[in-house]
Amino acid sequence: DIQMTQSPSSLSASGGDRVTITCRASQSIGRYLNWYQQKLEKAPKLLIYAASNLQSGVPSRFSGSGSGTEFTLTISSLQPEDFATYYCQQSYSTPRTFGQGTKLEIK
Amino acid sequence: QVQLQESGPGLVKPSGTLSLTCAVSGDSISVNKWWSWVRQPPGKGLEWIGEIYYTGDTNYNPSLKSRVTMSVDTSKNQFSLRLNSVTAADTAVYYCARLLVAPAILFDYWGQGSPVTVSS
């Protein structure tokens, strides 16, 4: 199985801040990496697919980059609705695996 | 608008079988997509359970493969999950999701989640 490791596990930030979350894969996955946002007791929502492609309807303050084993999700200017948990997920092979999540909290 | 809706018992006894169904609307289950199950134990992260194609082809997580069966009912536009020999470790919110495989592989639509507790 491909292990996905996110850092940090939690993060405190203020509105307007620029935030970066990192996801590392245990082996090269090309650009087969997706990012999801999950708010409390809600289903995950796709933000970024194939490492850097913005899903339709997702605000442009979200961006993704990386390839191989290291990826980042950046939120350029935090808005109140962005405080949530973020997960990366590899789609290179089955079993499809997720990172452990990064909880973004209000400072 | 594509919508997925899980249904099934919220309480299952230990050693019993967990059964959930996901009804799909706004899309045909028979058109070039895979349909998945993902679960989330309380306070924990997401775990992929497996996926099924409308033909019945499946991919399962090896960690659960011996206990999982997925099926699809094209006439009702729905798919199902069965997990047998459950224990408390199977307590989770179970999500169904649509898996696109082209042009990229991603989960784009999710159900709202079905909480399942394993307890006597």
Side-chain angles (χ1 to χ4, degrees):
Chain A
D1 299 6
I2 298 175
Q3 308 302 317
M4 306 302 293
T5 304
Q6 290 179 231
S7 60
S9 295
S10 63
L11 177 59
S12 294
S14 301
D17 284 354
R18 180 185 181 89
V19 167
T20 297
I21 298 169
T22 298
C23 177
R24 290 185 173 85
S26 59
Q27 66 183 73
S28 178
I29 58 170
R31 294 176 59 82
Y32 289 89
L33 191 284
N34 305 320
W35 289 98
Y36 299 85
Q37 177 195 66
Q38 186 180 35
K39 296 184 179 178
L40 199 60
E41 297 185 5
K42 298 291 187 182
K45 172 187 173 183
L46 178 67
L47 299 176
I48 301 284
Y49 65 92
S52 61
N53 294 274
L54 196 66
Q55 173 70 347
S56 175
V58 174
S60 59
R61 63 181 179 272
F62 291 92
S63 63
S65 65
S67 66
T69 62
E70 188 157 334
F71 303 86
T72 60
L73 171 70
T74 299
I75 311 172
S76 60
S77 178
L78 275 174
Q79 299 301 303
E81 60 267 30
D82 300 337
F83 292 95
T85 299
Y86 293 84
Y87 293 93
C88 61
Q89 176 251 324
Q90 64 83 14
S91 55
Y92 181 80
S93 66
T94 58
R96 307 192 190 284
T97 47
F98 294 84
Q100 81 279 14
T102 295
K103 187 173 184 180
L104 181 52
E105 299 175 305
I106 300 173
K107 184 183 288 183
Chain B
Q1 174 73 347
V2 178
Q3 292 186 316
L4 290 80
Q5 176 74 53
E6 306 92 348
S7 61
L11 182 63
V12 182
K13 287 183 166 44
S15 78
T17 297
L18 180 159
S19 295
L20 294 171
T21 295
C22 182
V24 179
S25 58
D27 189 16
S28 170
I29 204 166
S30 302
V31 179
N32 202 29
K33 300 175 188 72
W34 289 74
W35 303 91
S36 304
W37 291 95
V38 175
R39 71 179 182 178
Q40 185 171 35
K44 296 188 177 181
L46 300 164
E47 179 181 31
W48 176 76
I49 300 170
E51 60 204 22
I52 186 165
Y53 198 55
Y54 77 96
T55 56
D57 290 344
T58 55
N59 293 311
Y60 296 147
N61 192 322
S63 67
L64 297 168
K65 188 173 183 177
S66 63
R67 299 194 291 130
V68 169
T69 303
M70 293 183 185
S71 59
V72 62
D73 187 334
T74 55
S75 67
K76 294 182 178 179
N77 216 44
Q78 64 186 31
F79 60 105
S80 299
L81 167 71
R82 286 173 60 87
L83 180 67
N84 58 35
S85 304
V86 297
T87 69
D90 296 309
T91 294
V93 176
Y94 286 75
Y95 295 99
C96 58
R98 187 176 82 167
L99 179 73
L100 291 185
V101 295
I105 305 172
L106 53 92
F107 299 108
D108 63 344
Y109 287 98
W110 297 68
Q112 86 285 357
S114 183
V116 177
T117 299
V118 178
S119 175
S120 54

